[in-house]
Amino acid sequence: MSLEKTFAMIKPDAVAGNNAGKILARIEAEGFRIVALKKHQMTKAEAEGFYAEHAARGFFPALVSYMISGPIYVMVLEREDAVAHWRLVMGATDPAKADAGTIRKEFGQSIEANAAHGSAVPADAAREVTYFFSQSDLI
Ligand code: IDP
Ligand code: MG
């Protein structure tokens, strides 16, 4: 098996709720190596670009407002099967439907304010990493 990278975020609700440290501890406990990490405040244009695939959805304006409502942590994580494994650890988009023990079940507030983001597939991971990090940030 070979190492893979994924892109992850700790979203504004989890940062505001002082849950970022607990989520980072879980990331390490799951065997991810934190390749890059920074606290970041997204602009409206950045949030719109990041979630461009959802631009036509009814929830898009609220999602963008929420994502710029406070700082987030953006990071690059490395592990075997990193993309799929981080999605598994996060749980379903809607915390109410997420399995027990997942990040979204434990820390999510709603289907919108759901504590964490993870790339859906490796091609998304590559794009999302370069959205926030340059090659020299990946250590
Ligand atoms: P994902 O984050 O699990 O990949 P997506 O469907 O890609 O889920 O949606 C991106 C983000 O948009 C979600 O994490 C959540 O914050 C928000 N979102 C998704 N569906 C809804 C909805 O039905 N209402 C409000 N917000 C939503
Ligand atoms: Mg998604």
Side-chain angles (χ1 to χ4, degrees):
M1 287 236 259
S2 61
L3 292 176
E4 182 178 70
K5 288 185 180 66
T6 194
F7 174 78
M9 281 178 178
I10 302 175
K11 289 181 169 184
D13 59 297
V15 175
N18 276 357
N19 290 318
K22 285 165 239 165
I23 294 171
L24 288 169
R26 177 69 186 275
I27 285 167
E28 292 187 324
E30 291 289 338
F32 289 102
R33 190 173 74 81
I34 299 173
V35 174
L37 169 65
K38 67 182 171 190
K39 195 174 185 184
H40 181 72
Q41 171 69 56
M42 277 209 278
T43 65
K44 185 163 182 275
E46 254 179 339
E48 287 170 347
F50 185 77
Y51 279 121
E53 65 173 304
H54 297 307
R57 307 291 296 276
F59 62 77
F60 185 72
L63 172 61
V64 169
S65 297
Y66 154 65
M67 289 303 298
I68 66 172
S69 67
I72 59 174
Y73 285 21
V74 291
M75 67 194 97
V76 182
L77 305 179
E78 185 177 72
R79 215 198 87 125
E80 285 178 2
D81 209 17
V83 172
H85 191 74
W86 177 236
R87 296 283 300 195
L88 198 69
V89 171
M90 278 201 307
T93 306
D94 184 353
K97 294 178 182 156
D99 289 340
T102 61
I103 301 267
R104 282 164 161 175
K105 179 61 127 191
E106 195 168 350
F107 301 111
Q109 310 296 311
S110 68
I111 192 169
E112 177 181 270
N114 58 2
H117 166 85
S119 308
V121 293
D124 286 355
R127 177 174 50 80
E128 292 172 2
V129 166
T130 56
Y131 202 79
F132 292 99
F133 294 102
S134 54
Q135 193 60 40
S136 61
D137 295 324
L138 309 182
I139 301 165

